[in-house]
Amino acid sequence: MDTSTEQAVAPRKPREKKESTVSVVAAGIANVVIAVSKAVVGTITGSSAMISEAIHSFVDTGNEVLILYGLKRSRKAPDAEHPYGYGSELFFWCLVVAILIFALGGGLSIWHGVETIVANDMAALAQSPIPNYVVIAIAAVAEGTSLGIALKQLNANRGERSIMEYIHYCKDPSEYTVVLEDSAAEAGLLFAFLGVFLSHHLQMPWIDGLASVLIGALLVVVAIVLLSETKGLLIGEGLTVKETARLRSIVDRTPGVTACGKILTVYLGPKSLEIAIDVDFADGLDEQDVMRTTDTIESRIRASFPEADRITIESQSAEDVAKGRREDERLAREASED
Protein backbone atom coordinates (compact mmCIF):
# COMPACT_ATOMS: atom_id res chain seq x y z
CA MET A 1 0.00 0.00 0.00
CA ASP A 2 1.34 3.40 -0.97
CA THR A 3 -0.01 6.46 0.81
CA SER A 4 1.41 9.89 0.24
CA THR A 5 0.77 13.59 0.60
CA GLU A 6 1.71 16.15 -2.01
CA GLN A 7 1.12 19.90 -1.82
CA ALA A 8 2.56 23.09 -3.25
CA VAL A 9 5.69 24.46 -1.66
CA ALA A 10 4.60 26.48 1.34
CA PRO A 11 5.53 30.15 0.97
CA ARG A 12 7.87 31.64 3.52
CA LYS A 13 6.36 33.51 6.38
CA PRO A 14 6.41 37.29 5.80
CA ARG A 15 8.67 37.85 8.80
CA GLU A 16 11.28 35.38 7.51
CA LYS A 17 11.21 36.96 4.07
CA LYS A 18 11.60 40.49 5.43
CA GLU A 19 14.52 39.60 7.71
CA SER A 20 16.39 37.69 5.04
CA THR A 21 15.99 40.50 2.55
CA VAL A 22 16.87 43.30 5.01
CA SER A 23 20.32 41.89 5.80
CA VAL A 24 21.15 41.48 2.11
CA VAL A 25 19.87 44.95 1.13
CA ALA A 26 21.77 46.58 4.01
CA ALA A 27 24.98 44.89 2.89
CA GLY A 28 24.39 45.93 -0.74
CA ILE A 29 23.84 49.61 0.06
CA ALA A 30 26.94 49.70 2.25
CA ASN A 31 29.05 48.04 -0.43
CA VAL A 32 28.01 50.45 -3.21
CA VAL A 33 29.07 53.52 -1.24
CA ILE A 34 32.25 51.91 0.05
CA ALA A 35 33.33 50.48 -3.30
CA VAL A 36 33.24 53.86 -5.06
CA SER A 37 35.09 55.58 -2.19
CA LYS A 38 37.82 52.96 -2.10
CA ALA A 39 38.29 53.02 -5.87
CA VAL A 40 38.63 56.82 -5.99
CA VAL A 41 41.02 57.05 -3.04
CA GLY A 42 43.01 54.00 -4.14
CA THR A 43 43.51 55.52 -7.60
CA ILE A 44 44.57 58.90 -6.18
CA THR A 45 46.98 57.53 -3.57
CA GLY A 46 48.21 54.56 -5.59
CA SER A 47 47.56 52.12 -2.74
CA SER A 48 47.42 48.51 -3.89
CA ALA A 49 45.60 47.47 -0.74
CA MET A 50 42.87 50.08 -1.31
CA ILE A 51 42.43 48.99 -4.92
CA SER A 52 42.04 45.40 -3.70
CA GLU A 53 39.49 46.57 -1.16
CA ALA A 54 37.63 48.39 -3.93
CA ILE A 55 37.58 45.18 -5.98
CA HIS A 56 36.35 43.35 -2.89
CA SER A 57 33.48 45.81 -2.37
CA PHE A 58 32.46 45.86 -6.05
CA VAL A 59 32.33 42.05 -6.06
CA ASP A 60 30.30 42.08 -2.83
CA THR A 61 27.87 44.57 -4.38
CA GLY A 62 27.30 42.26 -7.33
CA ASN A 63 26.94 39.36 -4.95
CA GLU A 64 24.14 41.05 -3.01
CA VAL A 65 22.25 41.62 -6.28
CA LEU A 66 22.63 37.93 -7.20
CA ILE A 67 21.51 36.79 -3.74
CA LEU A 68 18.43 39.03 -3.88
CA TYR A 69 17.65 37.65 -7.33
CA GLY A 70 18.11 34.10 -6.02
CA LEU A 71 15.81 34.80 -3.06
CA LYS A 72 13.13 36.15 -5.38
CA ARG A 73 13.41 33.22 -7.80
CA SER A 74 13.39 30.65 -4.98
CA ARG A 75 9.94 31.87 -3.87
CA LYS A 76 8.28 31.26 -7.23
CA ALA A 77 5.31 28.94 -7.02
CA PRO A 78 5.55 25.47 -8.61
CA ASP A 79 4.45 25.17 -12.22
CA ALA A 80 4.01 22.42 -14.81
CA GLU A 81 7.72 22.25 -15.68
CA HIS A 82 8.94 22.67 -12.10
CA PRO A 83 6.38 20.82 -9.93
CA TYR A 84 8.71 20.95 -6.91
CA GLY A 85 9.14 24.71 -7.16
CA TYR A 86 12.24 26.87 -7.61
CA GLY A 87 13.74 26.68 -4.13
CA SER A 88 17.10 25.35 -5.34
CA GLU A 89 17.66 28.48 -7.46
CA LEU A 90 18.97 30.21 -4.34
CA PHE A 91 21.56 27.43 -3.99
CA PHE A 92 22.66 27.97 -7.60
CA TRP A 93 23.06 31.74 -7.32
CA CYS A 94 24.95 31.43 -4.05
CA LEU A 95 27.32 29.05 -5.86
CA VAL A 96 27.82 31.74 -8.51
CA VAL A 97 28.55 34.23 -5.71
CA ALA A 98 31.22 31.91 -4.28
CA ILE A 99 32.86 31.59 -7.71
CA LEU A 100 32.89 35.37 -8.17
CA ILE A 101 34.46 35.88 -4.74
CA PHE A 102 37.13 33.31 -5.58
CA ALA A 103 37.92 34.44 -9.13
CA LEU A 104 37.36 38.20 -9.09
CA GLY A 105 37.74 39.12 -5.44
CA GLY A 106 40.53 36.73 -4.50
CA GLY A 107 42.25 36.30 -7.86
CA LEU A 108 42.43 39.96 -8.88
CA SER A 109 43.51 41.10 -5.40
CA ILE A 110 46.36 38.58 -5.26
CA TRP A 111 47.46 39.40 -8.81
CA HIS A 112 47.44 43.15 -8.14
CA GLY A 113 49.30 42.66 -4.87
CA VAL A 114 52.03 40.52 -6.45
CA GLU A 115 52.52 43.20 -9.12
CA THR A 116 52.99 45.83 -6.40
CA ILE A 117 55.46 43.67 -4.49
CA VAL A 118 57.52 43.02 -7.61
CA ALA A 119 57.52 46.70 -8.65
CA ASN A 120 58.30 48.00 -5.12
CA ASP A 121 57.88 51.52 -6.55
CA MET A 122 58.86 54.28 -4.10
CA ALA A 123 56.79 56.76 -6.13
CA ALA A 124 53.69 55.06 -4.74
CA LEU A 125 54.52 56.63 -1.37
CA ALA A 126 54.47 60.19 -2.70
CA GLN A 127 50.79 60.78 -1.88
CA SER A 128 49.54 61.37 1.66
CA PRO A 129 47.97 58.25 3.23
CA ILE A 130 45.37 60.28 5.14
CA PRO A 131 42.58 59.88 2.53
CA ASN A 132 43.08 56.11 2.81
CA TYR A 133 42.63 56.25 6.57
CA VAL A 134 39.45 58.31 6.26
CA VAL A 135 37.87 55.89 3.79
CA ILE A 136 38.96 52.86 5.82
CA ALA A 137 37.35 54.36 8.95
CA ILE A 138 34.08 55.14 7.15
CA ALA A 139 34.06 51.70 5.52
CA ALA A 140 34.68 50.00 8.87
CA VAL A 141 31.61 51.70 10.35
CA ALA A 142 29.41 50.90 7.32
CA GLU A 143 30.56 47.29 7.09
CA GLY A 144 30.22 46.91 10.85
CA THR A 145 26.63 48.13 10.72
CA SER A 146 25.81 45.70 7.92
CA LEU A 147 27.56 42.87 9.78
CA GLY A 148 25.61 43.69 12.94
CA ILE A 149 22.28 43.37 11.08
CA ALA A 150 23.30 40.06 9.51
CA LEU A 151 24.65 38.66 12.79
CA LYS A 152 21.47 39.63 14.63
CA GLN A 153 19.42 37.57 12.21
CA LEU A 154 21.86 34.64 12.24
CA ASN A 155 22.12 34.59 16.05
CA ALA A 156 18.34 34.60 16.36
CA ASN A 157 18.18 31.43 14.23
CA ARG A 158 21.24 29.43 15.26
CA GLY A 159 20.22 28.69 18.86
CA GLU A 160 22.97 26.93 20.82
CA ARG A 161 25.03 26.07 17.76
CA SER A 162 28.32 27.83 17.07
CA ILE A 163 28.44 30.03 13.98
CA MET A 164 30.43 27.47 11.98
CA GLU A 165 28.10 24.65 13.08
CA TYR A 166 25.10 26.70 12.02
CA ILE A 167 26.65 27.51 8.65
CA HIS A 168 26.90 23.77 7.97
CA TYR A 169 23.41 23.14 9.35
CA CYS A 170 21.60 26.09 7.73
CA LYS A 171 19.85 25.47 4.41
CA ASP A 172 19.50 29.17 3.53
CA PRO A 173 22.90 30.34 2.20
CA SER A 174 21.73 33.96 2.10
CA GLU A 175 21.78 34.00 5.93
CA TYR A 176 25.46 33.25 6.34
CA THR A 177 26.84 34.52 3.02
CA VAL A 178 26.38 38.14 4.14
CA VAL A 179 27.97 37.36 7.53
CA LEU A 180 31.01 35.77 5.89
CA GLU A 181 31.36 38.60 3.35
CA ASP A 182 31.09 41.36 5.94
CA SER A 183 33.44 39.58 8.35
CA ALA A 184 35.97 39.25 5.54
CA ALA A 185 35.41 42.93 4.71
CA GLU A 186 36.23 44.04 8.25
CA ALA A 187 39.36 41.85 8.33
CA GLY A 188 40.33 43.15 4.87
CA LEU A 189 40.06 46.73 6.10
CA LEU A 190 42.45 45.89 8.92
CA PHE A 191 44.93 44.45 6.41
CA ALA A 192 44.52 47.55 4.23
CA PHE A 193 45.15 49.90 7.15
CA LEU A 194 48.27 48.02 8.24
CA GLY A 195 49.51 47.84 4.65
CA VAL A 196 49.10 51.58 4.06
CA PHE A 197 50.45 52.58 7.47
CA LEU A 198 53.49 50.31 7.50
CA SER A 199 54.43 50.95 3.87
CA HIS A 200 54.53 54.73 4.55
CA HIS A 201 56.01 54.51 8.03
CA LEU A 202 58.80 52.12 6.99
CA GLN A 203 59.11 53.47 3.43
CA MET A 204 58.58 49.96 2.04
CA PRO A 205 55.95 50.05 -0.73
CA TRP A 206 55.97 46.26 -1.08
CA ILE A 207 54.15 45.97 2.27
CA ASP A 208 51.10 47.59 0.66
CA GLY A 209 51.23 44.86 -1.99
CA LEU A 210 51.51 42.19 0.69
CA ALA A 211 48.33 43.55 2.29
CA SER A 212 46.62 43.19 -1.07
CA VAL A 213 47.73 39.55 -1.30
CA LEU A 214 46.42 38.88 2.21
CA ILE A 215 43.06 40.42 1.31
CA GLY A 216 42.89 38.16 -1.73
CA ALA A 217 43.83 35.08 0.31
CA LEU A 218 41.10 35.94 2.82
CA LEU A 219 38.52 36.10 0.04
CA VAL A 220 39.70 32.76 -1.34
CA VAL A 221 39.10 31.16 2.08
CA VAL A 222 35.58 32.64 2.26
CA ALA A 223 34.87 31.43 -1.27
CA ILE A 224 36.02 27.88 -0.44
CA VAL A 225 33.68 27.76 2.58
CA LEU A 226 30.74 28.97 0.46
CA LEU A 227 31.58 26.57 -2.38
CA SER A 228 31.72 23.63 0.00
CA GLU A 229 28.42 24.40 1.72
CA THR A 230 26.52 25.32 -1.46
CA LYS A 231 27.78 22.23 -3.27
CA GLY A 232 26.25 20.03 -0.56
CA LEU A 233 22.88 21.72 -1.01
CA LEU A 234 22.95 21.51 -4.80
CA ILE A 235 23.72 17.79 -4.94
CA GLY A 236 20.92 16.94 -2.51
CA GLU A 237 21.51 17.50 1.18
CA GLY A 238 18.98 16.16 3.65
CA LEU A 239 18.51 15.99 7.41
CA THR A 240 21.47 15.40 9.69
CA VAL A 241 22.03 12.00 11.33
CA LYS A 242 20.61 13.28 14.63
CA GLU A 243 17.57 14.80 12.93
CA THR A 244 16.94 11.58 11.00
CA ALA A 245 17.12 9.62 14.27
CA ARG A 246 14.56 12.01 15.78
CA LEU A 247 12.34 11.57 12.73
CA ARG A 248 12.60 7.78 13.04
CA SER A 249 11.66 7.97 16.72
CA ILE A 250 8.53 9.96 15.85
CA VAL A 251 7.42 7.28 13.39
CA ASP A 252 8.34 4.36 15.67
CA ARG A 253 6.33 5.81 18.56
CA THR A 254 3.18 6.31 16.49
CA PRO A 255 0.39 3.87 17.46
CA GLY A 256 -0.26 1.42 14.64
CA VAL A 257 3.37 1.33 13.46
CA THR A 258 5.43 -1.80 14.02
CA ALA A 259 8.70 -0.36 12.68
CA CYS A 260 10.09 2.47 10.61
CA GLY A 261 12.37 1.41 7.76
CA LYS A 262 14.29 3.39 5.15
CA ILE A 263 14.14 7.19 5.46
CA LEU A 264 15.07 9.46 2.55
CA THR A 265 15.18 13.25 2.94
CA VAL A 266 16.29 16.06 0.67
CA TYR A 267 16.06 19.86 0.78
CA LEU A 268 14.55 21.21 -2.46
CA GLY A 269 14.92 24.76 -1.18
CA PRO A 270 15.81 26.68 2.00
CA LYS A 271 12.38 25.97 3.50
CA SER A 272 11.30 22.97 1.43
CA LEU A 273 12.02 19.47 2.73
CA GLU A 274 10.88 16.26 1.04
CA ILE A 275 10.62 13.10 3.16
CA ALA A 276 10.02 9.51 2.04
CA ILE A 277 9.54 6.78 4.67
CA ASP A 278 9.01 3.01 4.53
CA VAL A 279 6.71 1.76 7.30
CA ASP A 280 5.65 -1.66 8.57
CA PHE A 281 2.12 -1.15 9.85
CA ALA A 282 0.76 -3.32 12.65
CA ASP A 283 -1.08 -6.49 11.66
CA GLY A 284 -4.84 -6.31 11.69
CA LEU A 285 -5.18 -2.71 10.51
CA ASP A 286 -7.73 -2.15 7.78
CA GLU A 287 -7.41 0.47 5.06
CA GLN A 288 -9.09 3.17 7.14
CA ASP A 289 -6.82 2.43 10.11
CA VAL A 290 -3.75 2.72 7.89
CA MET A 291 -4.96 6.07 6.52
CA ARG A 292 -5.57 7.40 10.04
CA THR A 293 -2.16 6.19 11.16
CA THR A 294 -0.59 7.82 8.13
CA ASP A 295 -2.29 11.13 8.93
CA THR A 296 -1.01 10.91 12.51
CA ILE A 297 2.56 10.29 11.31
CA GLU A 298 2.38 13.27 8.96
CA SER A 299 1.00 15.66 11.60
CA ARG A 300 3.64 14.60 14.13
CA ILE A 301 6.44 15.01 11.59
CA ARG A 302 5.25 18.48 10.58
CA ALA A 303 5.05 19.52 14.22
CA SER A 304 8.79 18.79 14.60
CA PHE A 305 9.86 19.60 11.02
CA PRO A 306 7.63 22.46 9.78
CA GLU A 307 9.71 22.78 6.60
CA ALA A 308 8.52 19.30 5.54
CA ASP A 309 6.03 20.23 2.83
CA ARG A 310 6.07 16.84 1.10
CA ILE A 311 5.85 13.55 2.97
CA THR A 312 5.53 10.16 1.29
CA ILE A 313 4.75 7.13 3.47
CA GLU A 314 4.89 3.71 1.86
CA SER A 315 3.77 0.45 3.43
CA GLN A 316 6.44 -2.26 3.16
CA SER A 317 6.90 -5.80 4.39
CA ALA A 318 8.60 -6.41 7.74
CA GLU A 319 11.59 -7.88 5.90
CA ASP A 320 12.04 -4.84 3.62
CA VAL A 321 11.60 -2.42 6.52
CA ALA A 322 14.23 -4.25 8.58
CA LYS A 323 16.62 -4.23 5.62
CA GLY A 324 16.14 -0.50 5.04
CA ARG A 325 16.60 0.24 8.73
CA ARG A 326 19.89 -1.68 8.83
CA GLU A 327 21.11 0.26 5.80
CA ASP A 328 20.28 3.60 7.46
CA GLU A 329 22.02 2.53 10.67
CA ARG A 330 25.13 1.59 8.69
CA LEU A 331 25.18 4.97 6.96
CA ALA A 332 24.71 6.72 10.32
CA ARG A 333 27.69 4.87 11.79
CA GLU A 334 29.86 5.79 8.81
CA ALA A 335 28.84 9.45 9.16
CA SER A 336 29.69 9.50 12.86
CA GLU A 337 33.09 7.94 12.15
CA ASP A 338 33.84 10.66 9.60
Side-chain angles (χ1 to χ4, degrees), residues 139-196:
V141 173
E143 296 283 9
T145 302
S146 173
L147 177 59
I149 294 172
L151 274 175
K152 181 179 179 181
Q153 178 187 340
L154 186 141
N155 288 334
N157 295 333
R158 69 184 176 91
E160 298 299 320
R161 298 180 180 88
S162 69
I163 290 179
M164 291 310 298
E165 286 175 340
Y166 183 71
I167 286 175
H168 182 65
Y169 167 82
C170 181
K171 309 306 175 185
D172 185 352
S174 66
E175 280 190 37
Y176 54 79
T177 297
V178 174
V179 171
L180 290 175
E181 284 183 347
D182 288 345
S183 298
E186 291 283 44
L189 288 169
L190 176 60
F191 291 154
F193 170 76
L194 292 175
V196 173

Side-chain angles (χ1 to χ4, degrees), residues 16 19 32 63 67 183 245 257 261 282 293:
E16 291 178 327
E19 285 184 345
V32 170
N63 291 345
I67 291 174
S183 298
V257 172
T293 302

Side-chain angles (χ1 to χ4, degrees), residues 226-247:
L226 291 177
L227 284 168
S228 175
E229 295 302 326
T230 310
K231 173 194 169 186
L233 293 169
L234 275 174
I235 64 177
E237 192 170 300
L239 294 175
T240 64
V241 172
K242 289 183 179 180
E243 288 173 324
T244 301
R246 180 156 57 92
L247 175 59

Side-chain angles (χ1 to χ4, degrees), residues 49 190-200 204 207-208 211:
L190 176 60
F191 291 154
F193 170 76
L194 292 175
V196 173
F197 175 77
L198 292 176
S199 63
H200 280 79
M204 295 179 178
I207 296 179
D208 188 58

Side-chain angles (χ1 to χ4, degrees), residues 79-137:
D79 55 34
E81 293 186 349
H82 299 86
Y84 288 94
Y86 291 78
S88 58
E89 280 227 26
L90 178 60
F91 304 157
F92 169 77
W93 289 109
C94 284
L95 180 68
V96 173
V97 164
I99 294 172
L100 289 176
I101 293 174
F102 185 90
L104 295 182
L108 287 179
S109 294
I110 292 173
W111 172 72
H112 190 64
V114 170
E115 273 196 332
T116 302
I117 293 173
V118 173
N120 198 30
D121 186 7
M122 295 298 294
L125 303 178
Q127 298 294 329
S128 171
I130 292 178
N132 291 322
Y133 300 149
V134 172
V135 170
I136 288 173

